[in-house]
Amino acid sequence: MMKTSKITTLLLTGVITALLILSGCSLEINPAPESNSTPASTGGNLRVVFLDVGQGASQLIISPSGKTMLIDAGNNDKEELMLQYMDQYGITKLDTVIGTHPDADHIGGLDAVINHIPVGRIYMPKAQANTKTFESVLRAVKNAKLKVQTAKAGISWEMDDEVHVDMLAPRRSYEDSNNMSAVVKITYGRTSFLLTGDAEADSERDMVDAGTDLQADVMLVGHHGSKSSTTLAFLKRVHPKYAVIQVGADNTYGHPKSVILNRLKQQGVKVYRNDLQGTIEAESNGQKVTFRTER
Ligand SMILES: [Zn+2]
């Protein structure tokens, strides 16, 4: 029995091989579907997605060749939503994850993401929090056999050809957790994005005083449009064409504040908001940035 079946297998293999050679087939008969290996095509563009996570923040960055970065992941109750977004954008691995600071509206959903998607490396500032949220992120990091690298000014890397990432803050230690926020600038060709976390006036002043190149076409408005951030001096140095406010409808903080909205208006900045437009996608071809909104 064994012998016969072995001979049959051999014969069959021979016949199939002969057929393949005759038909000029290569061995890649069943290539894996595209969506399983690369994120949703960006058409050679850099895509920065301001995910609608209600009151909270999360930005997904996909480079022209499909490198991926996630900055923050919304609050704890957005874990399922974050995994849905990862699925929707075809994210099967994250090269870099950044938790800007330990507040729940930024790192709440990070543990679920790290538990479900392979992560290359993770950055967080040197700031502790005695919260279950913070502990669960650290546990997820440990389970994924990752080690948190310190987010601070001066760290930079090439995310892709012509896509450069610079961490501009925190420049020092602050008592306030918001000021400890990792601030990230992404440059692609002639276009740039400044993602500010919840950095407040102190951190903004330190970046301005240090002579940091802050100019960016697109700015994430600091601290959800709170009046603690987006000082005029900082805004003038960034000199954005577009600003995005990550904020939930009817939030209890009254974000964004009208003083900040007026300041942006006076500087001629076009504003996009998650509470009004849902998820906001910005796309750069290296020359200019275009926007698409969910609603
Ligand atoms: Zn926040």
Side-chain angles (χ1 to χ4, degrees):
M1 275 302 274
M2 280 294 278
K3 216 167 188 181
T4 321
S5 116
K6 258 188 189 167
I7 290 165
T8 313
T9 311
L10 276 172
L11 277 172
L12 273 173
T13 312
V15 169
I16 290 167
T17 310
L19 280 173
L20 282 174
I21 291 166
L22 281 172
S23 63
C25 241
S26 75
L27 281 174
E28 291 169 74
I29 324 166
N30 291 312
E34 281 275 292
S35 62
N36 279 355
S37 52
T38 52
S41 171
T42 63
N45 292 340
L46 172 73
R47 186 177 288 169
V48 178
V49 187
F50 299 88
L51 297 165
D52 180 10
V53 290
Q55 185 63 18
S58 181
Q59 305 107 51
L60 173 67
I61 298 103
I62 306 172
S63 79
S65 78
K67 298 282 193 308
T68 53
M69 172 156 71
L70 180 71
I71 302 181
D72 291 338
N75 219 320
N76 287 297
D77 62 346
K78 299 301 186 297
E79 292 184 348
E80 271 307 309
L81 180 66
M82 281 306 301
L83 296 179
Q84 279 171 30
Y85 281 141
M86 294 300 108
D87 206 42
Q88 181 185 328
Y89 286 95
I91 305 299
T92 52
K93 49 118 186 139
L94 287 162
D95 297 298
T96 306
V97 167
I98 299 175
T100 58
H101 65 299
D103 286 1
D105 58 324
H106 295 254
I107 63 160
L110 267 189
D111 54 340
V113 172
I114 297 166
N115 285 336
H116 286 86
I117 294 171
V119 170
R121 57 186 177 165
I122 178 165
Y123 287 101
M124 286 169 78
K126 261 205 167 24
Q128 301 281 326
N130 286 320
T131 59
K132 283 212 165 69
T133 300
F134 188 66
E135 278 168 23
S136 61
V137 172
L138 293 187
R139 202 175 316 122
V141 167
K142 198 177 165 197
N143 289 342
K145 301 206 164 28
L146 291 164
K147 201 166 171 286
V148 175
Q149 302 188 45
T150 303
K152 60 181 179 191
I155 293 171
S156 68
W157 67 91
E158 300 296 327
M159 186 180 178
D160 205 336
D161 278 351
E162 282 192 77
V163 181
H164 192 75
V165 182
D166 281 297
M167 227 176 258
L168 307 183
R171 297 191 58 84
R172 59 177 173 93
S173 263
Y174 302 87
E175 256 174 56
D176 181 86
S177 144
N178 284 340
N179 274 318
M180 287 303 291
S181 287
V183 174
V184 176
K185 183 173 177 180
I186 304 167
T187 307
Y188 177 40
R190 294 171 57 178
T191 64
S192 49
F193 298 79
L194 186 69
L195 308 171
T196 53
D198 279 355
E200 299 188 355
D202 284 349
S203 176
E204 290 184 355
R205 191 184 317 111
D206 287 340
M207 284 184 269
V208 168
D209 288 352
T212 311
D213 177 10
L214 296 169
Q215 193 283 317
D217 300 276
V218 182
M219 179 179 92
L220 172 66
V221 174
H223 198 191
H224 320 277
S226 157
K227 60 177 193 265
S228 63
S229 309
T230 322
T231 52
L232 186 59
F234 184 76
L235 180 58
K236 280 186 164 170
R237 279 282 292 275
V238 180
H239 194 57
K241 286 191 199 73
Y242 311 99
V244 178
I245 303 179
Q246 295 216 275
V247 73
D250 304 319
N251 64 79
T252 52
Y253 309 94
H255 292 161
K257 296 291 184 189
S258 54
V259 61
I260 300 301
L261 291 175
N262 288 336
R263 194 171 292 161
L264 289 163
K265 200 175 168 187
Q266 274 160 18
Q267 297 300 312
V269 184
K270 181 166 172 49
V271 174
Y272 291 91
R273 293 167 55 162
N274 284 142
D275 59 337
L276 302 178
Q277 291 153 303
T279 290
I280 294 152
E281 292 182 11
E283 207 154 290
S284 165
N285 60 7
Q287 299 293 320
K288 71 183 197 39
V289 182
T290 51
F291 281 83
R292 244 194 327 255
T293 62
E294 191 181 352
R295 55 177 186 267

